[in-house]
Amino acid sequence: MARVVVNVALKPEILDPQGRAVQGALSRLGLSGVIDVRQGKQFIIEIDGELEGDRADLLEKLAGELLSNPVIEDFTLTVEN
Amino acid sequence: MARVVVNVALKPEILDPQGRAVQGALSRLGLSGVIDVRQGKQFIIEIDGELEGDRADLLEKLAGELLSNPVIEDFTLTVEN
């Protein structure tokens, strides 16, 4: 069984109001020195068998089109076979 | 500067309708053998200086109370100093 972790984050140049709100809350609750907070999504996908070849290519494609919005988001994909 | 990654995921016993929807979509779009998908949140926090002592303890506490809902979610916290 393969375990695939896809992390999706807003591109650095895109404003992240949720992250900004969390940054403000952390500071108000007493955590000093918070420079930046970005909030993203994480998908943990369990796949039957090994992930390789066409199936790996398709998942990479879908991570960029279904799981993330390529206009405003970047993704990283890690496979643990 | 320290970089802290907090991953928040629904506890395994909590139903994840977003993950289930993604699982259905991946299958419909041709990816075979998808056993399970769970969707979580990821916070990337940049902190001034090293994160240690009281500040590390406070961030650990806030990750469990502000960034995640301890009733339905688990979190992992990774510090890269």
Side-chain angles (χ1 to χ4, degrees), chain B residues 39-60:
Chain B
Q39 179 169 352
K41 289 178 288 187
Q42 184 176 60
F43 299 91
I44 297 172
I45 304 167
E46 288 183 4
I47 306 234
D48 201 21
E50 300 272 301
L51 184 70
E52 50 193 10
D54 286 352
R55 229 159 42 127
D57 295 344
L58 179 57
L59 182 52
E60 177 94 23

Side-chain angles (χ1 to χ4, degrees), chain A residues 31-79:
Chain A
L31 189 71
S32 59
V34 182
I35 296 169
D36 192 32
V37 177
R38 306 285 290 178
Q39 180 171 349
K41 289 179 287 186
Q42 184 175 59
F43 299 91
I44 296 172
I45 304 167
E46 289 183 5
I47 305 233
D48 201 21
E50 301 271 304
L51 184 70
E52 51 195 8
D54 286 351
R55 225 156 48 124
D57 294 344
L58 178 58
L59 182 52
E60 177 95 23
K61 179 170 175 284
L62 292 176
E65 295 176 358
L66 173 74
L67 303 182
S68 63
N69 176 346
V71 178
I72 57 169
E73 292 172 326
D74 291 324
F75 73 93
T76 61
L77 188 154
T78 314
V79 182

Side-chain angles (χ1 to χ4, degrees), chain B residues 2-80:
Chain B
R3 187 170 181 274
V4 183
V5 177
V6 179
N7 291 320
V8 176
L10 286 168
K11 288 180 192 289
E13 66 270 25
I14 305 288
L15 194 69
D16 179 357
Q18 282 187 299
R20 195 54 57 91
V22 170
Q23 181 178 352
L26 288 172
S27 297
R28 274 196 308 281
L29 293 168
L31 189 70
S32 60
V34 182
I35 296 169
D36 191 33
V37 178
R38 307 284 290 176
Q39 179 169 352
K41 289 178 288 187
Q42 184 176 60
F43 299 91
I44 297 172
I45 304 167
E46 288 183 4
I47 306 234
D48 201 21
E50 300 272 301
L51 184 70
E52 50 193 10
D54 286 352
R55 229 159 42 127
D57 295 344
L58 179 57
L59 182 52
E60 177 94 23
K61 181 170 174 284
L62 292 176
E65 295 176 358
L66 173 73
L67 303 182
S68 63
N69 177 348
V71 177
I72 57 168
E73 292 172 325
D74 292 324
F75 73 93
T76 61
L77 188 155
T78 314
V79 182
E80 301 160 15

